């Protein structure tokens, strides 16, 4: 008898909970709440946006404007530096709403979230490398996408960050008088980033290091190549002067 009574109480409680939830859904007007959140976002009230849309994400499930919910919630997370949460919301649009007018913006912002979550260049660059792949994927898959300029800008920022890390390591070995190791890092840098604005300077530095190691023939070869392919006038002038010493 007690078990039967307890079971009936549980069922009754469950029915009340479902009824309350259903009533809450009926009272929740998505056509009002979503525009309120957008208005709050435009006023940079990101905490308010999150408060509204974190609820709307549940209450408006199935609503045709859910891509808008995910976008402005994701962007509010992005603006408040909650990058992991931002990526999660924005990638919902990419995976679930491929025909949304917000698709390309969301795809770019998801990659941007990864880049912005990366650590300073002295530390591990896992997120930076991941963002580079994400930016490249956008450009390769959708070469004429409407956010192309923004994607290219952040892709270059990510590449610059990796370049800074590698060049800093090479310069560290110079300071430690480990010239052979520095040469290895500079060569690796040139191979990995042949279009970098720092390639000419790196080649000149390699030649200078060869001179310090009394390897004039190697220095002369590097300088000859630099003078044939280099683009930076100031570097080329230094290369010509050094070439005379290498002869």
């Amino acid at each position: 008898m007690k078990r039967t009574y307890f079971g009936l109480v549980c069922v009754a409680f469950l029915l009340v909970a479902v009824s309350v939830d259903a009533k809450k859904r009926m009272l929740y007007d998505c056509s009002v709440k979503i525009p309120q959140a957008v208005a709050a976002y435009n006023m940079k009230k990101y905490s308010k946006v999150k408060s509204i849309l974190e609820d709307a994400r549940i209450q408006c499930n199935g609503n045709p404007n859910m891509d808008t919910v995910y976008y402005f919630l994701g962007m509010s997370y992005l603006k408040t530096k909650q990058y992991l949460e931002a990526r999660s919301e924005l990638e919902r649009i990419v995976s679930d709403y491929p025909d949304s007018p917000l698709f390309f913006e969301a795809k770019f912002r998801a990659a941007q979230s990864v880049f912005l979550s990366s650590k300073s260049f002295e530390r591990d660059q896992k997120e930076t490398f991941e963002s580079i792949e994400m930016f490249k994927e956008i450009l390769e898959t959708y070469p004429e996408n409407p956010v192309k300029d923004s994607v290219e800008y952040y892709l270059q920022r990510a590449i610059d960050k990796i370049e800074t890390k590698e060049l800093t390591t090479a310069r560290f070995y110079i300071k430690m008088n480990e010239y052979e190791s520095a040469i290895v890092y500079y060569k690796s840098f040139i191979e990995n980033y042949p279009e970098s604005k720092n390639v000419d300077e790196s080649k000149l530095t390699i030649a200078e290091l060869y001179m310090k190691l009394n390897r004039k023939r190697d220095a002369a070869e590097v300088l000859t190549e630099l003078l044939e392919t280099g683009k930076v006038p100031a570097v080329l002038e230094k290369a010509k002067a050094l070439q005379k010493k290498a002869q």
Side-chain angles (χ1 to χ4, degrees):
M1 184 68 179
K2 288 184 178 179
R3 290 183 178 180
T4 301
Y5 176 75
F6 180 74
L8 290 173
V9 170
C10 290
V11 171
F13 179 80
L14 181 61
L15 290 174
V16 170
V18 171
S19 176
V20 170
D21 184 63
K23 186 176 181 180
K24 184 178 180 181
R25 284 179 177 267
M26 291 178 63
L27 294 174
Y28 195 96
D29 191 341
C30 298
S31 64
V32 173
K33 293 295 185 179
I34 295 174
Q36 282 181 352
V38 174
Y41 180 86
N42 291 333
M43 291 187 286
K44 300 182 179 181
K45 297 181 178 180
Y46 305 122
S47 294
K48 184 175 181 180
V49 176
K50 288 187 284 184
S51 178
I52 295 172
L53 295 185
E54 284 171 354
D55 200 14
R57 185 173 50 185
I58 299 171
Q59 301 298 331
C60 300
N61 189 29
N63 186 283
N65 294 315
M66 282 304 293
D67 57 338
T68 301
V69 172
Y70 294 137
Y71 176 75
F72 284 100
L73 180 55
M75 287 302 295
S76 294
Y77 284 137
L78 184 63
K79 295 292 186 180
T80 53
K81 300 183 179 181
Q82 294 174 265
Y83 299 124
L84 183 63
E85 293 84 352
R87 177 184 185 179
S88 177
E89 297 302 324
L90 293 162
E91 286 188 336
R92 286 173 181 265
I93 301 172
V94 175
S95 62
D96 298 344
Y97 300 89
D99 296 323
S100 169
L102 298 169
F103 174 83
F104 287 110
E105 179 74 14
K107 197 169 181 65
F108 159 61
R109 295 295 185 180
Q112 183 190 33
S113 298
V114 175
F115 171 69
L116 293 175
S117 71
S118 65
K119 302 175 180 66
S120 60
F121 76 85
E122 303 94 338
R123 302 173 65 187
D124 180 72
Q125 292 303 301
K126 175 184 175 182
E127 293 81 6
T128 307
F129 279 114
E130 184 179 5
S131 71
I132 287 173
E133 292 306 312
M134 293 173 76
F135 291 132
K136 284 183 175 179
E137 189 270 332
I138 295 172
L139 295 173
E140 291 169 2
T141 309
Y142 312 99
E144 300 303 322
N145 69 80
V147 293
K148 181 179 179 180
D149 289 347
S150 296
V151 174
E152 289 178 338
Y153 170 76
Y154 273 93
L155 172 59
Q156 191 57 55
R157 280 189 61 182
I159 291 174
D160 287 347
K161 191 172 185 180
I162 298 299
E163 288 185 11
T164 298
K165 181 179 180 64
E166 294 202 9
L167 289 173
T168 299
T169 302
R171 290 164 186 155
F172 168 78
Y173 281 111
I174 292 176
K175 290 181 179 180
M176 298 296 292
N177 296 321
E178 296 286 344
Y179 300 144
E180 295 282 5
S181 297
I183 289 170
V184 169
Y185 272 92
Y186 276 114
K187 284 185 174 181
S188 175
F189 171 79
I190 293 168
E191 182 179 351
N192 292 330
Y193 305 97
E195 301 301 321
S196 171
K197 61 184 178 182
N198 295 304
V199 165
D200 287 0
E201 186 69 40
S202 296
K203 289 180 178 179
L204 178 62
T205 303
I206 290 173
E208 291 171 341
L209 293 174
Y210 276 141
M211 292 294 288
K212 288 183 178 182
L213 293 168
N214 199 30
R215 292 167 60 179
K216 290 186 177 182
R217 181 176 297 179
D218 291 328
E221 289 180 2
V222 173
L223 291 168
T224 298
E225 180 189 356
L226 173 56
L227 290 169
E228 290 176 354
T229 62
K231 300 176 182 178
V232 183
V235 174
L236 296 179
E237 286 300 316
K238 292 179 181 179
K240 289 176 183 178
L242 187 60
Q243 189 179 50
K244 294 177 182 179
K245 297 179 181 179
Q247 292 175 347

